[in-house]
Amino acid sequence: MSATRTIGLAVDAEEHATILPELQRAAAASGRDLVVDPDATPEDVDYLVYNIDSGLTEFSAYTKLRAILNTWAGVEAVVGRITFPDGVPFCRMVEPGMTQGMSEYFVAHTMRYMIDIDRAVTQSADGVWQKWTPPLARQTPVGILGLGELGAATGAKLTALGFPVHGWSRSLKSLDGIICHAGDSGLAEVLSKSKILILILPLTPGTREIINAARLALLPRGACLINAGRGPLIDDTALLDALVSGRLRHATLDVFREEPLPPSHPFWGHPQITITPHIAAETRMDTAADAILEQIGRDLDGAALQHIVDPVRGY
């Protein structure tokens, strides 16, 4: 008879309240000999559901640990700051609810920019009747920087709508419907074609301020930018300058160097910037719990875990 495996929790209080019942549901539905015990002593925990806001940074007491399963997609707050036990994989969160939410966020703002909904809002407020002819999707090339799960899903939705999509990643990929690029020359090519640019890269030493003044200058004049990756992907001063010069028409920003965004920040109230409060890639606890149980099931069946973080790459 197989031994009971224990799933422990080390997450912040708000997340604890929402994910615990979903983990209990998913564990019961799995048909496996699993128990979700938020009060388990560390030496009894086999799988730890974790985020860094729990305050846990020392794992030596977790002597049976088989995997640490992050509840967030982003891991830059963890990598390089915390040393995990040797041989224990640390996995970032990839779950269908988050993927759907992120891709829908990008599609919504892409359509907004293509049709120029902001112009309609302004004219409505001002009582102005002035017609224009919006371009079609096929006339609006979109660039996506970052072709992981979220970027690939976004690209698939946009290509289905008829947008020409160019994507860029650290290493060259092959994705149906997306023209894929890599390397410095590939990045320059994507930027030069992107009437709408989407950022969904992880934050690493190689991606920090990847969008700077020189690269913004490669965009077609009047391009729009949507960032839901990480705030420091962009040089903030260069972004503001590009808006003033007309290189950029508008920017939608969901992520920032400091969150919440300080009230004095020049992004607030800027007529060419839309701010959303880090809502594009929320973890949906029901589908996240199912994803966690799927990972545990893989381990119990002797299969390799997915989405294991490589500390060298930083994601």
Side-chain angles (χ1 to χ4, degrees):
M1 186 171 64
S2 62
T4 300
R5 300 291 187 178
T6 298
I7 303 171
L9 268 72
V11 297
D12 61 278
E14 181 180 355
E15 196 165 280
H16 188 285
T18 55
I19 201 168
L20 176 58
E22 295 293 350
L23 284 171
Q24 291 169 329
R25 170 198 56 79
S30 73
R32 297 180 184 271
D33 195 2
L34 295 165
V35 60
V36 181
D37 185 358
D39 300 316
T41 56
E43 59 266 25
D44 291 331
V45 172
D46 298 281
Y47 301 97
L48 185 65
V49 178
Y50 175 79
N51 72 45
I52 195 169
D53 279 0
S54 65
L56 178 64
T57 59
E58 169 56 49
F59 297 86
S60 59
Y62 290 83
T63 54
K64 289 176 55 183
L65 205 55
R66 298 173 63 89
I68 300 169
L69 304 164
N70 203 38
T71 61
W72 301 348
V75 296
E76 71 277 358
V78 178
V79 173
R81 294 175 54 192
I82 292 177
T83 300
F84 292 106
D86 288 342
V88 177
F90 172 57
C91 303
R92 59 188 172 85
M93 174 58 70
V94 175
E95 57 94 0
M98 179 190 296
T99 301
Q100 182 177 348
M102 177 69 93
S103 59
E104 289 174 352
Y105 178 95
F106 282 129
V107 169
H109 286 281
T110 298
M111 295 295 291
R112 165 197 172 192
Y113 286 142
M114 181 189 76
I115 297 170
D116 204 354
I117 295 297
D118 291 11
R119 178 175 178 175
V121 171
T122 299
Q123 290 189 181
S124 297
D126 294 343
V128 174
W129 180 278
Q130 186 177 49
K131 297 179 69 174
W132 71 94
T133 302
L136 301 173
R138 61 179 171 79
Q139 299 169 313
T140 312
V142 178
I144 301 176
L145 305 191
L147 293 175
E149 295 277 345
L150 300 173
T154 298
K157 279 187 168 67
L158 290 171
T159 57
L161 290 168
F163 289 93
V165 176
H166 290 257
W168 182 88
S169 53
R170 186 180 64 89
S171 55
L172 189 61
K173 297 194 174 186
S174 177
L175 297 169
D176 288 345
I178 300 175
I179 304 167
C180 297
H181 305 262
D184 289 344
S185 61
L187 178 57
E189 185 169 355
V190 171
L191 293 173
S192 70
K193 296 179 183 299
S194 299
K195 291 185 178 179
I196 298 172
L197 181 66
I198 288 171
L199 304 184
I200 186 53
L201 288 162
L203 181 62
T204 69
T207 63
R208 184 174 292 274
E209 295 193 357
I210 191 170
I211 298 302
N212 53 29
R215 287 182 172 136
L216 285 166
L218 296 175
L219 291 167
R221 189 166 185 82
C224 296
L225 180 150
I226 311 166
N227 183 20
R230 286 294 180 262
L233 297 175
I234 300 174
D235 178 332
D236 289 354
T237 300
L239 175 66
L240 291 166
D241 289 345
L243 291 166
V244 169
S245 71
R247 174 61 57 186
L248 283 181
R249 172 161 62 97
H250 204 100
T252 292
L253 307 175
D254 187 59
V255 288
F256 307 91
R257 292 171 184 272
E258 182 181 350
E259 296 183 6
L261 189 66
S264 61
H265 198 284
F267 287 169
W268 284 118
H270 195 293
Q272 295 165 274
I273 294 177
T274 297
I275 292 169
T276 57
H278 205 142
I279 59 169
E282 287 292 292
T283 300
R284 269 62 175 187
M285 294 306 171
D286 55 346
T287 45
D290 293 335
I292 288 168
L293 265 294
E294 182 178 345
Q295 286 272 60
I296 291 171
R298 291 180 65 86
D299 184 63
L300 293 174
D301 291 341
L305 290 171
Q306 297 178 310
H307 318 304
I308 297 174
V309 174
D310 180 348
V312 176
R313 292 191 306 173
Y315 61 95

